[in-house]
Amino acid sequence: MLTGLHIAVIGGDARQLEVIRKLIELDAKLSLIGFDQLDHGFTGASKEQLSEVDFTTVSAIILPVPGTNLEGQVDTIFSNEKIVLTEEIVNNTPKHCTIYSGITNAYLNQLVADTGRKLVQLFERDDVAIYNAIPTVEGTIMMVIQHTDITIHNSKVAVLGLGRVGMSVARTFSALGANVRVGARKSEHIARIFEMGLTPFYLDELPSNVSDVDVCINTIPHQIVTSDVISKMPVNTLIIDLASKPGGTDFRYAEKRGIKALLAPGLPGIVAPKTAGQIVANVLAQLLKEEMEGRKEN
Ligand code: NAP
């Protein structure tokens, strides 16, 4: 349980509601900032303006998945209040206060460096990334169905990258009956792709492996689907780029060639916000419990 632990939950989208639910269940004391337009009232949590919160008792600040923007502003879909996480606010918290965010940026890194607080990036964790791959794959299937006029079954699909997302994408499309080939650069990945019953190829041979593909799904956050690669694809190929912005595709060239190329960020929050929220909530609950127990022992 998190009884008595004062947590400030700042901003977010539907995913954050699952976090709030979980923390209330664990008996934490919650200050909700940026939720004034949320109809749903949470018993045991108070909606507050940023200026009303007593940060001197706050042991954890929970930011939404994107964290802040480069000016420190935190987005929320539940309020028009402009919320900026400043150095002054963080300096008011106890020294042990930890900031939890999905990802970080230059602003957040500087903020924690200047204030000496700890930042936990949830999406850097393997467990979160692997659980999150599940709704990502479901969103990818949705997009492929929406943007093609053929079945996935018996289609030719190239998956680029065998990381946490790439492995789940490749396995699931194969299970749906697609002929899946996977591009990677490490020999151990090539071996794993072979072991999975799929067709491996080295990424430096990418151009010669796309000449007959129906769908190309990129998971590599690096310019990989270049104009040279796109020029070898059939004109009716669909490119779905899952890599974080700006993706790994030359979108300008794809458009010029008349090939449909779609950057598809944030699929878990779009197709399954409840599940995506629960993934974050479960890991957060575990981390907060460990943090609280660690402090009791010291
Ligand atoms: P990951 O486990 O780190 O996998 C990344 C893959 O890219 C690895 O196979 C890695 O291979 C490869 N790679 C990286 N740089 C490369 C380069 N320069 N050349 C060739 N291969 C390279 O990451 P992940 O968790 O699977 O996530 C993949 C991407 O999807 C990330 O950008 C992530 O932010 C994004 N994502 C998007 C969504 C969405 O909704 N669209 C959801 C979740 C994640 P090596 O092992 O050889 O380095």
Side-chain angles (χ1 to χ4, degrees), residues 123 126 129-130 132-133 135-136 140 160-167 183-186 189 203 218-224 241-245 263-269:
F123 277 42
D126 255 345
I130 292 169
N132 218 31
T136 306
T140 309
L160 310 183
L162 192 76
R164 294 155 307 185
V165 174
M167 184 177 281
R185 60 179 172 179
K186 290 182 181 151
H189 284 171
L203 283 168
N218 177 47
T219 73
I220 299 175
H222 176 80
Q223 271 291 316
I224 190 99
D241 200 332
L242 298 176
S244 51
K245 281 180 192 163
L263 186 63
L267 288 175

Side-chain angles (χ1 to χ4, degrees), residues 1-226:
M1 297 298 281
L2 300 173
T3 307
L5 194 74
H6 187 187
I7 301 172
V9 181
I10 308 183
D13 54 27
R15 287 175 281 186
Q16 211 69 322
L17 303 182
E18 295 305 316
V19 171
I20 295 169
R21 244 174 234 129
K22 181 83 185 180
L23 297 179
I24 289 176
E25 200 180 292
L26 293 170
D27 201 25
K29 177 185 172 203
L30 294 189
S31 294
L32 308 181
I33 302 126
F35 291 89
D36 49 89
Q37 288 174 1
L38 179 69
D39 288 339
H40 188 74
F42 285 104
T43 323
S46 61
K47 294 178 188 167
E48 296 170 38
Q49 301 281 313
L50 194 60
S51 55
E52 294 167 353
V53 182
D54 177 9
F55 276 96
T56 63
T57 60
V58 168
S59 291
I61 294 176
I62 298 179
L63 299 175
V65 170
T68 67
N69 71 9
L70 290 173
E71 281 79 47
Q73 192 172 331
V74 183
D75 277 345
T76 174
I77 61 164
F78 304 108
S79 173
N80 293 326
E81 186 189 352
K82 185 178 176 194
I83 304 162
V84 179
L85 186 67
T86 61
E87 200 177 317
E88 193 190 341
I89 291 171
V90 178
N91 270 331
N92 266 330
T93 61
K95 277 267 173 268
H96 66 257
C97 177
T98 304
I99 301 174
Y100 296 88
S101 174
I103 55 174
T104 189
N105 60 20
Y107 181 91
L108 264 181
N109 289 341
Q110 193 62 48
L111 184 72
V112 292
D114 290 346
T115 56
R117 300 301 189 274
K118 192 168 118 190
L119 173 70
V120 176
Q121 286 180 67
L122 297 169
F123 277 42
E124 267 216 331
R125 294 172 56 96
D126 255 345
D127 51 3
V128 174
I130 292 169
Y131 286 128
N132 218 31
I134 301 167
T136 306
V137 172
E138 293 193 9
T140 309
I141 294 167
M142 175 190 80
M143 292 198 68
V144 171
I145 291 171
Q146 279 173 347
H147 294 280
T148 57
D149 54 7
I150 55 171
T151 54
I152 291 173
H153 183 271
N154 212 31
S155 64
K156 295 190 182 70
V157 176
V159 177
L160 310 183
L162 192 76
R164 294 155 307 185
V165 174
M167 184 177 281
S168 298
V169 168
R171 192 192 305 109
T172 311
F173 275 79
S174 173
L176 288 172
N179 299 304
V180 178
R181 67 193 75 161
V182 187
R185 60 179 172 179
K186 290 182 181 151
S187 63
E188 61 265 36
H189 284 171
I190 296 291
R192 178 60 68 195
I193 296 159
F194 175 76
E195 178 275 330
M196 289 166 75
L198 310 176
T199 308
F201 65 89
Y202 278 100
L203 283 168
D204 49 14
E205 292 160 6
L206 179 55
S208 60
N209 276 281
V210 294
S211 58
D212 60 346
V213 284
D214 298 302
V215 182
C216 176
I217 302 169
N218 177 47
T219 73
I220 299 175
H222 176 80
Q223 271 291 316
I224 190 99
V225 190
T226 58

Side-chain angles (χ1 to χ4, degrees), residues 224-295:
I224 190 99
V225 190
T226 58
S227 54
D228 180 39
V229 174
I230 295 169
S231 71
K232 305 289 188 304
M233 290 176 176
V235 75
N236 56 351
T237 302
L238 170 68
I239 302 170
I240 304 274
D241 200 332
L242 298 176
S244 51
K245 281 180 192 163
T249 303
D250 186 337
F251 289 99
R252 186 203 60 83
Y253 183 77
E255 191 178 356
K256 191 170 167 197
R257 251 212 94 201
I259 286 187
K260 196 184 271 184
L262 306 168
L263 186 63
L267 288 175
I270 296 168
V271 297
K274 193 176 172 82
T275 308
Q278 284 167 343
I279 291 167
V280 173
N282 289 339
V283 175
L284 253 178
Q286 190 58 37
L287 291 176
L288 287 164
K289 275 187 218 165
E290 284 169 14
E291 182 87 24
M292 200 167 153
E293 276 156 23
R295 268 210 314 283

